[in-house]
Amino acid sequence: MEYIIIFISAILVNNIVLAKFLGICPFLGVSNKVGTAAGMSAAVTFVMVLATIVTFLLQKYVLDPFHIGFMQTIVFILVIAALVQMVETILKKISPSLYQALGIFLPLITTNCAVLGIAILTIQNDYNLIQGIVFTAANALGFGLAIIIFAGLRERLELQGVPKGMKGFPISLVMAGILAMAFMGFSGIVK
């Protein structure tokens, strides 16, 4: 039951983008088309889960035992950047088609604060490794859900008559606010 609560809470109630405001850059920048948003969410999911596993193990077996927890942010940033580069290199050699599909998004993930935020939140919430993986996967799915819904809304909005002063980012920010308020409706489901 605990895993279900973590899962539902991370996807709907405490959505990483709409409630915690992490990952706003790709949310606004890569959400013009549903296909692009889906590709970005798949890449973020893969890197986020992998980064959380590695950073969790580093925290528990290196930073905590040597009492250097103050290095957490620097170490996590370096690990995430190295993981993204490693994944990019491996995908380029092993699966060029997957590399082409995710290639554009992988460099963007290096600077996605949602990946670093989830790695840190996993440690701060004192989750074990399995709980951390469930938490991370749910947050990645929540990120994907938010960005894909937002991309669909933006595509639909292109067909509508939007006033000249509201075209582009102004109407996108208004829609993002309304979407965040819609997700707040789930706050009574879990604590």
Side-chain angles (χ1 to χ4, degrees), residues 98-168:
L98 185 58
Y99 172 75
Q100 289 298 324
L102 298 178
I104 348 171
F105 306 116
L106 285 172
L108 292 174
I109 295 171
T110 305
T111 58
N112 188 345
C113 59
V115 178
L116 176 63
I118 292 303
I120 291 173
L121 284 171
T122 300
I123 302 300
Q124 285 179 349
N125 291 341
D126 201 28
Y127 289 140
N128 62 36
L129 185 57
I130 302 300
Q131 289 171 328
I133 292 170
V134 169
F135 176 72
T136 302
N139 272 292
L141 290 173
F143 175 84
L145 177 67
I147 197 170
I148 289 170
I149 289 172
F150 192 61
L153 290 171
R154 286 180 78 174
E155 280 184 1
R156 172 100 177 163
L157 200 60
E158 287 178 7
L159 304 173
Q160 305 302 315
V162 177
K164 187 177 181 182
M166 290 296 289
K167 285 190 180 206

Side-chain angles (χ1 to χ4, degrees), residues 1-187:
M1 187 66 169
E2 179 182 355
Y3 295 110
I4 294 171
I5 291 172
I6 291 172
F7 196 78
I8 292 172
S9 174
I11 291 176
L12 299 174
V13 178
N14 297 316
N15 187 286
I16 190 75
V17 177
L18 302 172
K20 296 196 185 300
F21 305 114
L22 293 173
I24 295 292
C25 292
F27 178 72
L28 292 173
V30 188
S31 62
N32 293 329
K33 302 286 180 211
V34 172
T36 308
M40 181 64 172
S41 70
V44 165
T45 300
F46 180 72
V47 171
M48 200 181 277
V49 170
L50 188 62
T52 297
I53 292 169
V54 173
T55 55
F56 179 88
L57 295 173
L58 275 172
Q59 180 75 37
K60 296 300 178 191
Y61 297 109
V62 176
L63 299 178
D64 288 348
F66 292 108
H67 306 292
I68 52 174
F70 60 90
M71 298 285 293
Q72 180 188 58
T73 305
I74 301 288
V75 170
F76 284 15
I77 290 171
L78 291 173
V79 165
I80 291 166
L83 278 174
V84 169
Q85 290 300 314
M86 184 181 71
V87 166
E88 191 172 4
T89 305
I90 290 170
L91 281 179
K92 195 174 194 178
K93 292 185 187 235
I94 292 177
S95 177
S97 60
L98 185 58
Y99 172 75
Q100 289 298 324
L102 298 178
I104 348 171
F105 306 116
L106 285 172
L108 292 174
I109 295 171
T110 305
T111 58
N112 188 345
C113 59
V115 178
L116 176 63
I118 292 303
I120 291 173
L121 284 171
T122 300
I123 302 300
Q124 285 179 349
N125 291 341
D126 201 28
Y127 289 140
N128 62 36
L129 185 57
I130 302 300
Q131 289 171 328
I133 292 170
V134 169
F135 176 72
T136 302
N139 272 292
L141 290 173
F143 175 84
L145 177 67
I147 197 170
I148 289 170
I149 289 172
F150 192 61
L153 290 171
R154 286 180 78 174
E155 280 184 1
R156 172 100 177 163
L157 200 60
E158 287 178 7
L159 304 173
Q160 305 302 315
V162 177
K164 187 177 181 182
M166 290 296 289
K167 285 190 180 206
F169 274 113
I171 195 68
S172 294
L173 292 174
V174 169
M175 280 191 336
I178 293 170
L179 188 59
M181 287 191 301
F183 270 67
M184 282 178 57
F186 295 114
S187 62

